Amino acid sequence: MSRPTVAITMGDASGIGPEIIMKALARPDIAALCRAVVIGDAERLREAGAIVGTSLTVRPIASPGEAVHAPGTVECVDLGLIPPGHPFGQVSPVSGEGAFRYIERAVQVVQAGQAAAICTAPLSKEALHAAGHKYPGHTELLAELTGTPEVSMMLVSPKLRVIHVTTHIGLIDAIARIEPGLVERVIARGHDTLVKAGIANPRIGVCAINPHAGENGLFGRGEEAEKITPAVEACRAKGWRVEGPLPADTLFFLAGRGDYDIVVAMYHDQGHGPIKVLGLEAGVNITVGLPVIRTSVDHGTAFDIAGKGIADEGSLVEALRQAVDLAPRRAV
């Protein structure tokens, strides 16, 4: 079976993205797993390579079709947006613009059939906004670039999978946005993703919004009965194994021990907290519902350690593994 080509976006050039990319691509297991092409800046990757002490050579190319994937070489579709000596560890509109352009080019590359999946290094939302691109994050940016009206964020760790009904909005706004149709669509995206991954009839647990799932109206204002229960019932009517709304604290414990294949979280921190407690180095972010495969590290730009060569590449390695697992097997 051929190794799929994965387009890795460099993320924010002022963060740890360039360093973890060079560390990950120096690993023989990753070289054996896929044909990687970085969408970014060749000179910045060279700087990062020197910082982390790798002997990899960075080869600038104009498109993935020029890549030869020689041992010891990192192929980079070089956009040339980052000036030499650009500082690490600082919010910069230059880096924000670069992060946007890398994603834009990666989408074009996959849509043209030149890569089978996108794997993203972290970007800075503040830098993205400073460059004039007002997106909450990668997920919403990718949705617009691919013309996708609605996507979901899924986080995956070795012991837990979580898909989110809402993500980058305030808690009050999240509760207002949650409604049965949205919850049902998110459950369906999670179900379909796991079925494609080989889990024939996944066990799905759906979080409540309020403590103790509202405890029959004692907590909250009936949100569970109004916003979540109709969606659960609609999915169960399809023959799916869906349970909820369940108290989130209990559900995550049960899922962590293997009782559920995926948890449906209602808002950002409800889902992110348990995943990150299990370890940032093991988490992977997958955008579900896009016409392209996209995985990502589950951590930020880490400006406080950027440029020091100490960033852990573990999450990027796992994200690349997930991209390969999900990517269609074809010649690219």
Side-chain angles (χ1 to χ4, degrees):
M1 186 175 291
S2 64
R3 293 176 299 155
T5 297
V6 178
I8 306 173
T9 58
M10 201 175 75
D12 190 294
S14 299
I16 62 173
E19 295 167 74
I20 61 174
I21 288 172
M22 295 301 286
K23 283 187 171 184
L25 296 186
R27 294 174 51 143
D29 56 331
I30 294 302
L33 184 70
C34 65
R35 294 182 294 178
V37 175
V38 181
I39 313 295
D41 273 69
E43 186 55 38
R44 191 58 159 186
L45 290 176
R46 291 190 186 102
E47 291 179 33
I51 289 169
V52 303
T54 179
S55 61
L56 291 174
T57 298
V58 179
R59 178 174 177 261
I61 55 177
S63 73
E66 297 180 7
V68 296
H69 302 289
T73 300
V74 173
E75 309 277 8
C76 177
V77 176
D78 186 12
L79 272 61
L81 299 173
I82 307 302
H86 189 63
F88 284 94
Q90 300 177 17
V91 174
S92 162
V94 172
S95 296
E97 180 66 24
F100 175 83
R101 296 299 170 192
Y102 307 149
I103 289 290
E104 183 180 53
R105 177 65 65 85
V107 168
Q108 294 167 359
V109 161
V110 174
Q111 289 179 333
Q114 297 176 323
I118 297 170
C119 182
T120 59
L123 56 71
S124 162
K125 298 176 182 65
E126 186 177 353
L128 192 68
H129 289 191
H133 304 292
K134 307 296 184 179
Y135 298 93
H138 267 123
T139 301
E140 297 81 3
L141 171 54
L142 283 159
E144 179 165 312
L145 289 174
T146 58
T148 307
E150 188 174 276
V151 296
S152 297
M153 177 187 291
M154 179 186 290
L155 302 181
V156 177
S157 75
K159 291 187 177 181
L160 192 63
R161 301 181 188 92
V162 184
I163 190 168
H164 294 69
V165 174
T166 66
T167 49
H168 295 118
I169 55 176
L171 184 55
I172 292 174
D173 295 330
I175 293 170
R177 182 173 296 182
I178 296 166
E179 51 87 19
L182 175 59
V183 175
E184 183 178 349
R185 293 192 298 275
V186 172
I187 294 172
R189 279 192 281 272
H191 175 273
D192 294 348
T193 299
L194 295 192
V195 169
K196 291 176 183 177
I199 301 174
N201 193 7
R203 299 160 299 171
I204 302 172
V206 181
C207 287
I209 294 173
N210 295 298
H212 303 281
E215 199 148 314
N216 297 315
L218 183 61
F219 304 120
R221 299 179 182 178
E223 289 89 353
E224 280 71 28
E226 174 190 347
K227 296 172 175 286
I228 303 173
T229 299
V232 171
E233 291 176 346
C235 292
R236 289 173 65 89
K238 301 174 185 177
W240 298 351
R241 291 194 289 176
V242 183
E243 295 183 20
L246 300 170
D249 52 357
T250 303
L251 175 53
F252 279 107
F253 167 75
L254 295 173
R257 75 177 188 185
D259 292 8
Y260 293 93
D261 296 304
I262 191 168
V263 172
V264 180
M266 292 297 120
Y267 52 90
H268 183 282
D269 284 13
Q270 187 180 60
H272 279 60
I275 287 281
K276 293 193 175 182
V277 165
L278 295 174
L280 287 174
E281 72 284 351
V284 176
N285 183 328
I286 302 171
T287 306
V288 179
L290 292 171
V292 300
I293 300 300
R294 179 259 174 165
T295 67
S296 179
V297 296
D298 186 31
H299 59 70
T301 52
F303 284 150
D304 57 324
I305 62 170
K308 298 179 180 179
I310 60 175
D312 190 308
E313 76 277 17
S315 184
L316 180 61
V317 168
E318 291 303 316
L320 285 165
R321 293 188 189 281
Q322 290 287 339
V324 170
D325 286 345
L326 294 169
R329 292 299 189 268
R330 55 190 184 185
V332 296

